[in-house]
């Protein structure tokens, strides 16, 4: 069977291959043409690097409480962004906090993306009653504001890095499922798929060889747009006292700990918040650019 | 199109306007309590962290409820605001007839807000309300030993208990508030829970859930006319909001100031700090139920030596707190001085090695709530830093309060945890609820000590009883049952010209306050 | 059309009931709240007795059946803490939340629509570019942090506005601004692109060429035609607004449903949590329902799908 690939399929493969070769070069040449995309990309790369090597580049131990030096304002005694209520270096804590944000953004996108994609494929490809049931579940999940859903789930299952990822994924997979399902539905109608069906290629083969590869673009676009949402959602929930629990430094819980000092020590709430804004900005800019580049049809939506 | 836009804007303005007057705002002009300085001030606004659960008495054990409704209802026996000693209120006298019988003499001539007389029937009714299962009072567990309340005469009641129950006086003081039977029976508990009637210094005016509770002076109050005529408890959960409301003159005082904000308030015009060493104690529990090194008395002793309580008090709490050395606070009626372990890291290392542990290899867990007690999670992280100095690694885990409590009650805690207890006036309630096998709050248990506790609790003779608790205190220190930390300091931000002495029992009795 | 409405409405009911089911089981699996409400010295047997009284020791499925049976009649049980009707408590907080959400929505619209229109009209000028940059940054600012910053400036530094509590117009300012910010950014961006779409259309170009003044053109045709997608977006964004309101209410101590829900989650007052979930899901589903119906009314082909 595999030896007798239909001709138009062969042709399609040939058309796709040369494109892949220069993918990285195309990526950067496209990127250099958009300053917003470039800024986003730089922010994201910086963030990833910081989260990887963060623990070796912090000027102070982010966990060490030196009480005699508590609440020092920025730029004193070597503390670039000052110290917090326990005398811990805020700059070091922000650096280490980047890891939490990156882990949560990526892990949630991965888990939610994977679950959502599988469910979207099943619903879109097999249709019928399974589609109806799955989409009803999607409707239920969407019947709740995202942040509230995650908050309620996290409050119930308890704080912690793992639990917040679970809560975010539970709230987040639906959007993938919905988008992927409609992509699959659209793909099913495409000529080369109907041709495959006509020539008797098995459904499984069609799925793996022709549908799944075509889903990568929408998945990547969607994931990159969702990561910012996840990072902000985690910060909000940690800020409310659920989410990531101290002493693990996360930007959200740093703000939570700092909010009682708002009248005396402005730096406690300023810098972790700025870190969140810059991160979300970077992710959004890059996501927008990615969408515009990979899928011009969606532009401006 | 233009017309449409004009309409749209008109509608918008209307909506906003309607929004602003709807529901809450009408009665709540800030000028009425903030800006009329010329007129002699006789109203008070208290910034309070949470709404009352209900306004009916004897139902919700939460302190936020009790603090507010104690201005509406009176108790039979009160505490002195500074010493914590029992003083008569609606009951003029109380005595033991025998081990199972108590007799209370009541005050005459006291009237409820609705004009009904206070008498023995209202006392019986209030206690029966707690005991009646149908009411689902959360106090009932504490009153389970009470068998019957008998009305002897309009001014005399007799309380029968099923077992000798020396804590009854404490229960009457801390739990029981007197309701008007006729009123509750007439309107039903649902209405009585929203429009309370008591004998207290203040009458109910209005209650807007999660928003405010307004009271007015009871001019015929049996202890005299209250100086402050109008009281409002305004519910503002966030500290930053309370603080800005205070600085903006919207509220006249509030409680629970983070120690690091004290300076800010002191620097404000027309503001002062009220401080009192409260009857709530904070401690580091050493869990002997957890299968780990803390089952060894030497390890527990080592931790007592390794934790520098003075440093924690000074550097984290800025000195606001009273150091404890044993199981009871100075304010406790049975307090005796016990040995202070003091800070001695070398001794700690020595003891650990004696117990067969290498400090460098030892890792312990420490759970703490966040924001329940003054600087609790910071204190936990401070303790972790101190133990690190002798090489012991500590994993600090910060829990949301509900989870923290649940972990304690289900005995799911690891090695150590931070907890508070209060009010700790009475030796029995503290020692029995902390150091017995059935009580999870210190997670310390020792067979011999348990036996001694049970023995002492049943003693009726005052002197023998005192002796028993004194011995227990020494034993518990000897066993290193916990690492005692401090008596909490309650900090209030108060308007300069308000006369208000913070009470040791956390109550806010507006009757005791006045403007200068 | 009627068919569509009925079908869609039925869906709303199913969705709300399923949401309740999920939260019910999540809550019950997470443990029971009895111990938080009893005094700390309550002995074990008393705790058990309360569990029995509150029905927490029955089989889960029985509890569920009982709960649903009463819930569909609007009875979510009594608040564990105050023993009042849970749904009633939640409903009494609705006006405050609506007050906040609606004023934020209106402020967002009042700012965003003219801004978006102007931005599109002055396309590619400095004004437009700054506007677009601001909307991008605006969407990256988490509302709770914006709230803190506003508190810092207006309440802590300048001391001209209260940072929360109460219910007067002055107390409403900061929370409203906080909640509106994100929507301003989103609506401006959307209005701009919707306007650009319309401005590109042939009939606008023709009119422009034939000398109709541009401003009149925008007011008369372009804005009107882009209003429908804008309204749809607004309706769909109400959910985001409701979610944001919860956090804003907590930051500013605003006495609405969100603060109640947060407190009840912390206190484990589960009947209130369930009633709150019910109300929020219901409002959200109804808003989406209305948005869908409106949308279907405008675009008849949707109905077929």
């Amino acid at each position: 069977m595999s030896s007798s690939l239909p001709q138009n399929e062969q042709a399609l493969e040939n058309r796709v291959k040369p494109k892949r070769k220069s993918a990285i070069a195309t990526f950067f040449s496209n990127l250099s043409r958009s300053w917003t995309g470039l800024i986003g990309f730089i922010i994201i790369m910086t963030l990833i690097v910081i989260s990887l090597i963060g623990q070796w580049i912090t000027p102070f131990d982010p966990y060490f409480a030196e009480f005699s030096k508590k609440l020092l304002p920025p730029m004193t005694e070597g503390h670039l962004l000052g110290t917090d209520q326990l005398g811990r270096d805020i700059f070091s804590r922000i650096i280490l906090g980047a890891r939490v944000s990156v882990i949560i953004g990526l892990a949630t996108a991965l888990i939610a993306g994977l679950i959502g994609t599988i469910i979207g494929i099943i619903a879109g490809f097999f249709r019928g009653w399974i589609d109806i049931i799955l989409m009803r579940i999607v409707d239920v999940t969407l019947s709740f504001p995202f942040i509230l859903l995650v908050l309620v789930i996290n409050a119930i299952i308890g704080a912690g890095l793992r639990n917040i990822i679970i809560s975010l994924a539970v709230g987040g997979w639906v959007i993938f499922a919905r988008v992927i399902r409609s992509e699959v539905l659209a793909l099913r109608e495409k000529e080369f798929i109907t041709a495959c069906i006509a020539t008797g290629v098995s459904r499984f083969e069609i799925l793996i060889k022709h549908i799944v590869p075509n889903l990568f673009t929408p998945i990547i676009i969607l994931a990159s747009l969702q990561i910012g949402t996840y990072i902000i959602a985690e910060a909000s929930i940690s800020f409310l006292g659920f989410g990531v629990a101290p002493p693990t430094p996360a930007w959200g819980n740093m703000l939570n700990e700092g909010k009682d000092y708002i009248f005396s020590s402005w730096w406690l709430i300023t810098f972790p918040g700025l870190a969140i804004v810059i991160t979300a900005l970077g992710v959004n800019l890059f996501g927008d650019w990615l969408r515009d580049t990979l899928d011009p049809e969606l532009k401006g939506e | 199109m233009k017309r449409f836009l004009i309409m749209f804007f008109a509608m918008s303005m209307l909506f906003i306007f309607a929004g602003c007057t709807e529901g809450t705002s009408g009665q709540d002009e800030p000028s009425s309590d903030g800006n009329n300085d010329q007129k002699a001030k006789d109203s008070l606004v208290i910034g309070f962290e949470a709404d009352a659960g209900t306004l009916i008495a004897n139902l919700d054990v939460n302190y936020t409820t009790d603090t507010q409704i104690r201005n509406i209802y009176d108790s039979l026996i009160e505490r002195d605001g500074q010493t914590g000693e029992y003083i008569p209120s609606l009951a003029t006298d109380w005595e033991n007839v025998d081990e199972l019988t108590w007799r209370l003499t009541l005050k005459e001539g006291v009237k409820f807000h609705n004009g009904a007389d206070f008498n023995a029937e209202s006392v019986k009714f209030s206690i029966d309300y707690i005991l009646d299962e149908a009411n689902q009072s959360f106090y009932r567990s504490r009153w389970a030993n009470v068998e019957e309340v008998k009305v002897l005469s309009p001014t005399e009641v007799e309380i029968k208990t099923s077992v000798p129950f020396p804590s009854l006086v404490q229960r009457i003081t801390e739990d029981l508030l007197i309701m008007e039977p006729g009123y509750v029976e007439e309107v039903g508990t649902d209405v009585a829970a929203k429009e309370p009637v008591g004998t207290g210094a203040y009458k109910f005016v209005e209650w807007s859930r999660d928003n405010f509770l307004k009271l007015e002076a009871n001019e015929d109050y049996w202890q005299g006319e209250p100086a402050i005529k109008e009281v409002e408890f305004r519910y503002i959960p966030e500290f930053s909001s309370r603080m800005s409301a205070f600085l903006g003159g919207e509220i006249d005082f509030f409680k629970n100031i983070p120690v690091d904000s004290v300076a800010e308030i002191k620097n404000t015009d027309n503001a002062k700090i009220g401080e009192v060493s409260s009857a709530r104690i904070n401690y580091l529990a050493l869990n002997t139920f957890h299968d780990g090194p803390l089952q060894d008395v030497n390890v527990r002793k080592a931790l007592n030596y390794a934790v520098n309580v003075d440093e924690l008090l000074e550097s984290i709490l800025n000195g606001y707190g009273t150091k404890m050395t044993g199981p009871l606070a100075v304010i406790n009626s049975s307090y005796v001085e016990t040995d202070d372990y003091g800070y001695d890291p070398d001794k700690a290392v020595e003891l650990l090695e004696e117990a067969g542990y290498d400090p460098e290899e030892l890792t312990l867990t420490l759970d703490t709530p966040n924001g329940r007690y003054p600087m609790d999670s910071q204190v936990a992280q401070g303790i972790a830093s101190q133990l690190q100095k002798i090489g012991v690694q500590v994993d600090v885990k910060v829990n949301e309060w509900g989870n923290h409590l649940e972990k304690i009650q289900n005995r799911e805690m690891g090695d150590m945890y931070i907890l508070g207890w209060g009010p700790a006036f009475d030796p029995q309630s503290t020692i029995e609820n902390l150091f017995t096998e059935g009580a999870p709050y210190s997670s310390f248990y020792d067979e011999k000590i348990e036996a001694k506790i049970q023995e002492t609790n049943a003693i009726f003779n005052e002197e023998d009883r005192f002796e028993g608790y004194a011995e227990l205190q020494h034993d518990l220190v000897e066993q290193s049952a916990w690492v005692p930390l401090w008596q909490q300091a309650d900090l209030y931000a108060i308007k300069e010209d308000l006369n208000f002495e913070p009470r040791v029992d956390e109550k806010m009795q507006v009757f005791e306050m006045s403007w200068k | 059309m009627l068919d569509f409405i009925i079908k869609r409405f039925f869906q709303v009911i199913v969705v709300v009931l399923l949401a309740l089911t999920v939260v019910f089981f999540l809550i019950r699996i997470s443990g029971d709240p009895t111990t938080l409400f009893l005094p700390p010295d309550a002995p074990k047997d008393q705790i058990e007795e309360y569990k029995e009284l509150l029905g927490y020791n029955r089989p889960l499925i029985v509890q569920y059946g009982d709960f649903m049976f009463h819930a569909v009649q609007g009875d979510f049980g009594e608040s564990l803490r105050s023993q009042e009707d849970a749904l009633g408590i939640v409903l009494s907080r609705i006006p405050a939340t609506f007050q906040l959400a609606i004023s934020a929505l209106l402020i967002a619209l009042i700012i965003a629509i003219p801004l978006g229109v102007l931005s599109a009209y002055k396309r590619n000028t400095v004004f437009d570019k700054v506007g677009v940059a601001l909307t991008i940054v605006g969407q990256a600012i988490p509302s709770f942090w914006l709230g803190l910053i506003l508190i810092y400036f207006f309440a802590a530094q300048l001391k001209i506005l209260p940072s929360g509590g109460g219910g007067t117009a002055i107390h409403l300012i900061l929370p409203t601004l906080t909640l509106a910010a994100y929507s301003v950014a989103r609506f401006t961006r959307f209005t701009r692109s919707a306007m650009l779409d319309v401005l590109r259309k042939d009939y606008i170009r023709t009119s422009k060429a034939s000398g109709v003044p541009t401003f009149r053109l925008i007011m008369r045709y372009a804005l009107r035609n882009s209003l429908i997608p804008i309204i749809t977006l607004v309706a769909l964004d109400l959910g985001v607004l409701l979610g944001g309101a919860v956090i804003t209410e907590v930051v500013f101590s605003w006495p609405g449903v969100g603060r109640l829900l947060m407190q009840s989650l912390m206190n484990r007052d589960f009947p209130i949590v369930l009633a709150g979930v019910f109300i929020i899901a219901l409002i959200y589903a109804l808003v989406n329902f209305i948005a869908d119906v409106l949308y279907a009314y405008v675009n008849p082909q949707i109905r077929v799908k």
Side-chain angles (χ1 to χ4, degrees):
Chain A
M1 186 105 191
S2 53
S3 58
S4 61
L5 264 179
Q7 247 189 337
N8 56 344
E9 176 56 20
Q10 195 72 53
L12 194 95
E13 287 226 328
N14 287 341
R15 243 190 299 146
V16 172
K17 265 179 191 161
K19 232 189 195 169
R20 275 188 194 150
K21 237 186 258 172
S22 57
I24 293 174
T26 326
F27 175 82
F28 279 106
S29 81
N30 272 337
L31 192 60
S32 61
R33 259 179 274 134
S34 156
W35 63 271
T36 51
L38 198 62
I39 292 176
F41 183 72
I42 292 171
I43 293 176
I44 290 177
M45 287 323 285
T46 316
L47 203 69
I48 290 175
V49 170
I50 286 177
S51 69
L52 286 177
I53 61 166
Q55 65 194 101
W56 294 287
I57 57 166
T58 55
F60 294 86
D61 177 355
Y63 289 98
F64 186 69
E66 195 167 6
F67 300 114
S68 57
K69 297 198 169 154
K70 70 176 179 182
L71 300 172
L72 290 180
M75 313 292 281
T76 40
E77 300 186 30
H79 295 281
L80 188 63
L81 303 181
T83 61
D84 70 2
Q85 69 284 354
L86 285 174
R88 297 173 300 194
D89 182 50
I90 291 180
F91 183 58
S92 304
R93 287 180 70 74
I94 287 180
I95 286 182
L96 212 65
R99 178 176 298 178
V100 170
S101 289
V102 168
I103 290 176
I104 280 168
L106 292 181
T108 310
L110 196 74
I111 296 171
L114 200 68
I115 298 172
T117 305
I118 292 171
I119 288 177
I121 289 173
I122 292 173
F125 193 74
F126 296 106
R127 308 298 311 268
W129 57 269
I130 192 148
D131 181 28
I132 294 173
I133 291 177
L134 289 173
M135 284 307 110
R136 206 48 79 239
I137 296 173
V138 169
D139 284 339
V140 172
T141 316
L142 286 175
S143 76
F144 228 67
F146 175 71
I147 184 84
L148 264 186
L149 180 70
V150 181
L151 176 68
V152 170
I153 295 176
N154 199 249
I156 292 170
I157 66 175
L161 192 64
R162 192 199 58 201
N163 284 353
I164 183 84
I165 292 174
I166 293 175
S167 318
L168 284 167
V170 169
W173 65 273
V174 282
I175 194 135
F176 285 90
R178 202 169 240 199
V179 171
I180 296 305
R181 173 177 171 271
S182 63
E183 284 287 326
V184 173
L185 284 180
L187 280 170
R188 269 170 65 111
E189 306 304 319
K190 288 260 164 72
E191 263 174 51
F192 69 93
I193 303 276
T194 39
C196 285
I197 295 172
T199 50
V201 181
S202 84
R203 295 178 70 165
F204 185 72
E205 209 176 325
I206 294 176
L207 190 60
I208 295 301
K209 279 206 166 152
H210 306 301
I211 302 233
V212 173
N214 280 299
L215 293 175
F216 284 130
T217 309
I219 292 173
I220 286 174
I221 293 175
L222 198 57
S224 68
L225 289 170
Q226 287 296 308
I227 286 176
T229 314
Y230 299 148
I231 290 176
I232 289 192
E234 178 272 319
S236 309
I237 289 162
S238 297
F239 171 77
L240 292 175
F242 300 99
V244 179
T248 306
W251 299 333
N253 68 33
M254 288 174 74
L255 288 171
N256 180 0
E257 290 184 299
K259 72 179 191 297
D260 282 352
Y261 298 86
I262 196 166
F263 286 88
S264 50
S265 316
W266 55 271
W267 54 96
L268 262 59
I269 54 144
T270 307
F271 299 117
L274 277 178
I276 298 172
V277 174
I278 292 170
T279 304
L281 191 64
V283 175
N284 288 353
L285 286 175
F286 184 72
D288 281 352
W289 170 81
L290 207 63
R291 180 193 56 202
D292 294 350
T293 318
L294 291 179
D295 199 350
E297 275 171 44
L298 280 170
K299 196 162 189 164
E301 282 225 357
Chain B
M1 195 66 217
K2 221 186 231 164
R3 242 186 310 156
F4 174 80
L5 276 181
I6 292 171
M7 277 288 286
F8 178 75
F9 279 97
M11 289 277 286
S12 320
M13 294 331 284
L14 208 70
F15 257 116
I16 292 181
F17 181 71
C20 293
T21 48
E22 177 185 286
T24 51
S25 54
Q27 325 85 3
D28 208 21
E29 292 302 317
S31 60
S32 64
D33 42 60
N35 304 339
N36 291 356
D37 285 336
Q38 292 91 339
K39 221 174 77 183
K41 198 170 170 178
D42 60 1
S43 65
L44 180 77
V45 184
I46 301 170
F48 204 61
E49 64 259 42
D51 197 352
T54 173
L55 297 182
I56 203 163
N58 308 320
L59 174 62
D60 179 16
V61 292
N62 207 305
Y63 123 95
T64 53
T65 300
D66 189 62
T67 304
Q68 296 179 62
I69 64 175
R70 261 178 203 267
N71 287 293
I72 302 169
Y73 301 100
D74 284 319
S75 53
L76 292 177
I77 306 170
E78 257 199 282
R79 280 191 196 281
D80 182 281
Q82 303 313 312
T83 63
E85 277 163 22
Y86 296 123
I87 50 174
S89 179
L90 288 178
T92 51
D93 197 24
W94 52 96
E95 58 170 346
N96 264 124
V97 180
D98 58 59
E99 290 197 350
L100 299 178
T101 315
W102 294 74
R103 194 167 292 162
L104 286 84
T105 315
L106 308 176
K107 206 168 172 56
E108 269 176 279
V110 176
K111 283 193 186 310
F112 284 98
H113 299 155
N114 64 353
D117 285 321
F118 159 77
N119 56 31
E121 284 296 341
S122 28
V123 175
K124 178 175 167 54
F125 176 83
S126 301
I127 297 177
D128 286 348
Y129 176 87
I130 296 180
L131 297 177
D132 185 351
E133 270 183 41
N135 292 320
Q136 298 186 18
S137 165
F138 290 109
Y139 286 103
R140 189 159 54 92
S141 62
R142 292 175 165 174
W143 287 73
N145 291 338
V146 172
E147 215 167 53
E148 199 194 356
V149 183
K150 276 195 210 153
V151 174
L152 301 180
S153 76
T155 56
E156 264 185 317
V157 276
E158 197 171 86
I159 301 175
K160 287 262 183 209
T161 60
S162 52
V163 292
F165 190 39
S167 312
L168 184 68
V169 176
Q170 189 199 355
R171 294 277 60 92
I172 290 175
T173 311
E174 277 166 24
D175 304 345
L176 186 66
L177 297 174
I178 304 303
M179 305 190 274
E180 209 278 277
Y183 177 72
V184 178
E185 272 156 13
E186 186 195 316
V187 300
T189 46
D190 285 350
V191 175
K194 290 188 184 117
E195 294 162 22
V197 165
T199 57
Y202 289 89
K203 294 188 213 174
F204 171 79
V205 177
E206 193 190 354
W207 185 32
S208 168
R209 299 304 297 266
D210 259 358
N211 209 357
F212 59 78
L213 169 67
K214 287 183 176 172
L215 307 174
E216 65 179 4
N218 173 10
E219 303 291 345
D220 307 318
Y221 188 49
W222 59 275
Q223 292 192 56
E225 201 180 304
I228 287 169
K229 302 299 177 197
E230 284 166 28
V231 183
E232 176 182 343
F233 284 89
R234 195 173 292 174
Y235 308 130
I236 314 178
E238 281 295 307
F239 162 73
S240 61
S241 304
R242 280 203 297 276
M243 180 83 167
S244 90
F246 181 73
L247 297 179
E250 278 181 73
I251 58 175
D252 299 310
F253 80 87
F254 70 101
K255 187 177 166 254
N256 290 345
I257 300 153
V259 291
D260 288 309
S261 297
V262 168
E264 178 83 16
I265 290 165
K266 280 185 174 159
N267 290 337
T268 308
D269 295 338
N270 188 23
K272 64 185 173 190
I273 288 284
E275 187 200 346
V276 69
S277 198
S278 90
R280 194 173 290 272
I281 57 179
N282 294 177
Y283 55 87
L284 176 68
L286 307 176
N287 189 358
T288 58
F289 286 85
H290 178 70
D291 191 16
L294 297 198
Q295 290 179 333
D296 189 325
V297 63
N298 279 335
V299 177
R300 295 201 300 272
K301 279 187 179 161
L303 291 173
N304 265 293
Y305 284 117
V307 174
N308 187 347
V309 178
D310 289 313
E311 186 193 57
L312 294 172
L313 254 178
E314 210 43 56
S315 56
I316 299 181
L317 287 163
N318 296 352
Y320 292 109
T322 309
K323 185 182 168 178
M324 282 170 60
T325 55
L328 298 184
V330 187
I331 193 151
N332 199 296
S333 55
S334 292
Y335 169 82
V336 290
E337 206 178 317
T338 51
D339 290 335
D340 183 2
Y341 277 89
Y343 179 59
D344 190 343
D346 298 333
K347 188 105 186 232
V349 174
E350 207 176 286
L351 280 164
L352 280 178
E353 279 164 357
E354 210 170 288
Y357 293 97
D358 177 3
E360 302 285 338
E361 310 256 294
L362 193 60
T363 301
L364 301 173
T365 64
L366 169 53
D367 281 69
T368 173
N370 193 7
R372 177 82 186 178
Y373 311 108
M375 310 298 280
D376 45 14
S377 68
Q378 285 90 335
V379 167
Q381 292 173 58
I383 291 172
S385 291
Q386 291 177 344
L387 293 182
Q388 232 162 47
K389 283 183 189 153
I390 61 163
V392 177
Q393 279 297 318
V394 179
D395 282 342
V396 177
K397 208 165 175 297
V398 181
N399 300 318
E400 181 254 325
W401 169 243
N403 288 329
H404 192 70
L405 195 60
E406 213 166 60
K407 272 171 96 173
I408 293 173
Q409 279 164 337
N410 296 340
R411 300 239 191 256
E412 287 160 3
M413 277 295 178
D415 300 307
M416 309 181 281
Y417 56 85
I418 300 251
L419 197 67
W421 179 265
F425 291 114
D426 176 86
Q428 177 174 350
S429 78
T430 310
I431 287 179
E432 180 179 33
N433 287 306
L434 288 170
F435 303 108
T436 53
E437 190 180 9
Y441 298 103
S442 88
S443 297
F444 169 82
Y445 167 64
D446 179 272
E447 214 177 314
K448 275 186 236 151
I449 287 189
E450 168 104 26
K452 200 160 197 172
I453 291 174
Q454 302 304 356
E455 193 186 306
T456 314
N457 281 349
I459 301 177
F460 248 80
N461 181 301
E462 288 279 334
E463 269 168 48
D464 294 349
R465 199 172 153 86
F466 186 88
E467 229 14 80
Y469 286 124
E471 269 176 47
L472 271 169
Q473 288 175 63
H474 290 294
D475 292 350
L476 285 163
V477 171
E478 180 54 36
Q479 279 289 317
S480 277
W482 64 11
V483 180
L485 297 175
W486 42 72
Q487 247 179 288
Q488 244 172 257
D490 282 343
L491 294 171
Y492 296 76
I494 311 170
K495 284 271 178 66
E496 184 68 55
D497 48 2
L498 180 69
N499 294 314
F500 167 51
E501 280 296 314
R503 295 171 57 96
V504 288
D505 56 5
E506 305 178 337
K507 307 274 184 285
M508 297 176 180
Q509 300 296 84
V510 182
F511 181 70
E512 297 167 358
M513 305 174 201
S514 63
W515 292 103
K516 277 175 190 163
Chain C
M1 188 69 197
L2 195 67
D3 262 10
F4 173 79
I5 294 181
I6 292 170
K7 215 175 127 195
R8 201 46 199 77
F9 188 74
F10 181 69
Q11 222 171 309
V12 168
I13 294 171
V14 172
V15 155
V16 170
L17 290 183
L18 281 176
L20 267 183
T21 305
V22 172
V23 177
F24 177 86
F25 281 106
L26 267 177
I27 280 181
R28 280 301 182 280
I29 289 165
S30 78
D32 77 81
T34 341
T35 45
L36 261 175
F37 291 93
L38 287 170
D41 45 15
K44 273 243 146 45
D45 54 324
Q46 285 276 344
I47 295 176
E48 285 307 314
E49 198 181 318
Y50 266 89
K51 283 182 187 167
E52 178 137 4
L53 211 61
L54 297 170
Y56 287 127
N57 53 358
R58 294 173 298 166
L60 201 57
I61 196 74
V62 176
Q63 288 187 47
Y64 172 70
D66 187 52
F67 165 74
M68 274 313 210
F69 177 75
H70 289 103
V72 293
Q73 303 167 39
D75 177 9
F76 287 80
E78 288 180 341
S79 153
L80 297 179
R81 184 158 171 232
S82 68
Q83 301 188 2
E84 277 175 72
D85 177 46
L87 189 64
I89 294 180
V90 174
L91 287 176
S92 69
R93 305 301 198 287
I94 293 266
T97 299
F98 270 20
Q99 197 175 337
L100 181 62
I102 290 176
S103 32
L105 182 68
L106 290 175
I107 286 193
L109 288 176
I110 290 169
I111 299 174
I113 291 182
L115 217 62
V117 171
L118 261 176
S119 210
Y121 176 55
K122 300 199 173 236
R123 196 179 167 196
N124 285 336
T125 60
V126 178
F127 176 83
D128 180 33
K129 285 190 170 147
V130 171
V132 170
L134 280 180
T135 61
I136 293 174
V137 176
Q139 280 183 293
I141 299 178
S143 56
F144 69 92
W145 185 63
L146 180 67
L148 287 181
I149 295 298
L150 290 177
I151 291 176
Y152 176 72
F153 277 112
F154 291 103
Q157 289 309 112
L158 300 173
K159 298 187 174 141
I160 49 173
L161 288 172
S163 82
T168 65
I170 305 173
H171 292 93
L172 194 56
I173 297 175
L174 289 186
T176 304
L177 289 179
T178 304
L179 187 56
Y182 178 81
S183 298
V184 169
R186 244 177 95 83
F187 294 168
T188 308
R189 225 175 152 184
F190 193 79
T191 307
R192 179 179 174 275
S193 64
M195 281 295 289
L196 285 178
D197 276 352
V198 179
L199 285 176
R200 253 183 257 133
K201 293 251 160 73
D202 285 342
Y203 68 95
I204 298 280
R205 292 187 183 184
T206 319
S207 318
K208 204 170 176 179
S210 62
V212 182
T214 322
F215 185 74
R216 231 180 101 200
L217 202 67
I218 285 181
M219 282 324 215
R220 224 194 175 117
Y221 302 106
L223 185 58
R224 179 181 290 179
N225 282 318
S226 39
L227 268 179
I228 290 159
I230 293 173
I231 288 171
T232 317
L233 176 85
V234 167
L236 290 175
D237 255 23
L238 276 180
V240 180
L241 215 61
L242 274 176
V246 172
I247 293 167
T248 311
E249 282 176 12
V250 174
V251 174
F252 290 97
S253 301
W254 188 258
V257 181
R259 189 176 117 186
L260 178 73
L261 193 65
M262 269 296 295
Q263 281 171 346
S264 308
L265 278 172
M266 295 223 179
N267 294 336
R268 310 281 162 86
D269 201 335
F270 290 153
I272 294 192
V273 173
L274 283 164
V277 163
F278 169 74
I279 288 294
I280 290 171
L282 187 68
I283 292 174
Y284 193 40
L286 280 177
V287 166
N288 281 338
F289 164 70
I290 293 166
D292 274 6
V293 170
L294 275 178
Y295 200 68
Y297 182 70
V298 181
N299 299 330
Q301 65 266 38
I302 295 283
R303 274 175 257 163
V304 191
K305 195 182 141 198

